[in-house]
Amino acid sequence: MKKDFLSIADLSTKAIWEIFAVAKKLKKELKAKGVHEPLLKGKSLALIFEKQSLRTRISFEIGMAQLGGNTVYLDPRDTGIGVREEDKDVAKVIGSMADIIAIRNHNHALLVLYAKYADIPVINALSDIEHPCQALTDLFTIWEVKNKLQGLKIAYVGDGDNNVAHSLCIGSVMFGATFACASPKGFWMNQGIVDKVKALQRIFNNWQRPRQKVKWLKNECSSITETINPKEAVKNADVVVTDTWVSMGDTDKEERVKIFQEYQVNSALMKLAKKDAIFMHCLPAYRGKEVTPEVIDGQQSVVFQEAENRLHVQKALLLFLLKGKLL
Ligand code: CP
Ligand code: NVA
């Protein structure tokens, strides 16, 4: 049966650990030899992007090329997707020619529709609700730096009702980390996501825990907290994360910039986190808004390692979805 990746919760924790192991191997191989075996020779990835992108698009395009496959970039302005014909017909047609689809759009429900009508895997390349490719990479990057995920405190400061926050929150719970989210009133995480996280928490904190090969430490179950106080969220955090205050599709830019003033990640806020805490941002970043230059360009920032890892992690994801069995 085909696998889709619309939410980070579509993969099991075990599958994600396998993807991380392959991503690590691919990263090492690329740095050492500059090339990979053409493991995806003859495979085609269709990219449907209704919103702008740098990292997601180039990591998928370059990643497929490095694995011997190819990509077809479908700009809705050329193809008329969403205007010229019904989406279910588009999904069926692409599904009959390509091997996998990645979609970035404004409406998560449309991704669900594509997954229903296309007989091939569908990847969420960012929707209004989730950004699972980013969360997968962020967790990999944290694991690379901290050598563990379980028991860590991941603090997210800014717009909680945000695709990046949602996927990272779900992913944190899947790995036994604590997710603390600080946002102004009215910008807390989507209730549907919080409900999903609570259901996952029950699973991961209870019955699935003893089945994991990973050794779980006592009293280090996952938890999530939401607060209006950034200091409370960041206190003793291992990882501090933020994202733009104005996501693609948000129309109330000026109002948001005023509302989020107290949620800037600056040196004073970073001092409340652990001494060895890292700073993460999916990029694009707006210096002087959600983060100061001292933080994003400072010693604790891993934002460019995080950006580069999109390439390695998504190659492993493509292998997992297209071949099932990994290396
Ligand atoms: N972080 C991220 O998804 O970047 P792009 O919007 O440039 O793809
Ligand atoms: N939350 C941002 C992420 C960009 C990668 C947006 O949706 O615009």
Side-chain angles (χ1 to χ4, degrees):
M1 215 177 82
K2 69 149 179 159
K3 292 186 200 75
D4 299 304
F5 186 54
L6 306 188
S7 164
I8 185 142
D10 289 344
L11 295 177
S12 66
T13 311
K14 183 173 174 284
I16 297 179
W17 277 124
E18 284 175 32
I19 288 170
F20 286 179
V22 173
K24 188 177 171 183
K25 205 167 166 177
L26 289 171
K27 184 171 181 177
K28 201 171 158 196
E29 185 176 69
L30 192 69
K31 295 210 183 275
K33 298 187 194 160
V35 285
H36 301 304
E37 295 294 315
L39 298 166
L40 294 182
K41 192 172 175 195
K43 300 286 184 193
S44 302
L45 164 67
L47 295 165
I48 305 174
F49 278 49
E50 293 179 3
K51 293 176 175 179
Q52 293 172 326
S53 171
L54 172 67
R55 283 142 289 268
T56 310
R57 180 174 173 184
I58 62 166
S59 51
F60 274 127
E61 292 208 16
I62 294 175
M64 274 303 269
Q66 287 176 349
L67 291 170
N70 62 78
T71 49
V72 185
Y73 185 78
L74 299 165
D75 184 327
R77 284 172 301 186
D78 300 330
T79 53
I81 286 174
V83 178
R84 196 159 161 252
E85 56 192 312
E86 285 190 38
D87 287 301
K88 66 177 185 180
D89 293 354
V90 177
K92 283 184 187 171
V93 171
I94 297 175
S96 70
M97 297 187 203
D99 298 284
I100 188 161
I101 307 174
I103 311 178
R104 168 170 286 203
N105 80 350
H106 297 276
N107 179 8
H108 194 85
L110 196 68
L111 291 179
V112 177
L113 185 141
Y114 267 76
K116 180 175 172 191
Y117 288 101
D119 288 335
I120 57 176
V122 175
I123 297 174
N124 177 356
L126 180 150
S127 72
D128 49 337
I129 305 291
E130 273 207 54
H131 195 0
C133 295
Q134 186 68 53
L136 202 60
T137 303
D138 290 354
L139 292 165
F140 175 81
T141 308
I142 296 169
W143 173 59
E144 218 176 30
V145 178
K146 299 278 175 196
N147 208 24
K148 66 172 192 169
L149 289 166
Q150 194 197 352
L152 295 181
K153 180 177 181 185
I154 300 173
Y156 177 94
V157 179
D159 182 11
D161 191 6
N162 164 298
N163 39 25
V164 171
H166 290 160
S167 294
L168 191 57
C169 179
I170 299 171
S172 301
V173 164
M174 290 171 69
F175 284 90
T178 290
F179 188 82
C181 186
S183 314
K185 274 204 180 109
F187 295 88
W188 282 24
M189 288 188 285
N190 173 303
Q191 193 54 45
I193 294 287
V194 174
D195 292 343
K196 192 169 182 167
V197 167
K198 288 193 172 149
L200 278 170
Q201 252 181 305
R202 278 194 291 280
I203 296 170
F204 287 94
N205 285 351
N206 297 319
W207 62 263
Q208 196 165 346
R209 196 151 44 106
R211 294 187 187 187
Q212 298 283 322
K213 276 195 183 155
V214 179
K215 197 174 158 229
W216 289 76
L217 306 171
K218 216 177 162 205
N219 296 330
E220 288 199 327
C221 294
S222 59
S223 70
I224 59 164
T225 53
E226 289 187 278
T227 171
I228 54 163
N229 186 346
K231 291 180 183 160
E232 187 187 321
V234 168
K235 197 173 168 206
N236 287 327
D238 300 279
V239 181
V240 180
V241 190
T242 190
D243 186 17
T244 178
W245 294 337
V246 190
S247 283
M248 291 180 277
D250 289 336
T251 48
D252 45 351
K253 183 175 174 181
E254 279 171 25
E255 200 186 332
R256 279 171 171 264
V257 170
K258 277 188 217 145
I259 293 170
F260 283 100
Q261 283 304 316
E262 302 303 313
Y263 293 82
Q264 182 185 69
V265 179
N266 51 36
S267 302
L269 193 65
M270 282 302 289
K271 279 201 178 82
L272 301 175
K274 284 190 183 152
K275 261 205 165 83
D276 63 350
I278 54 171
F279 170 76
M280 302 183 80
H281 191 310
C282 65
L283 305 180
Y286 301 91
R287 288 171 175 80
K289 297 280 191 306
E290 73 271 12
V291 61
T292 56
E294 301 82 67
V295 171
I296 195 167
D297 301 317
Q299 292 285 319
Q300 289 168 287
S301 174
V302 297
V303 299
F304 293 107
Q305 180 177 346
E306 180 185 2
E308 181 198 315
N309 281 340
R310 296 290 303 275
L311 175 69
H312 311 300
V313 172
Q314 282 162 215
K315 277 191 287 192
L317 174 70
L318 288 166
L319 284 169
F320 181 79
L321 296 176
L322 283 168
K323 304 200 87 165
K325 222 168 149 256
L326 290 166
L327 304 178

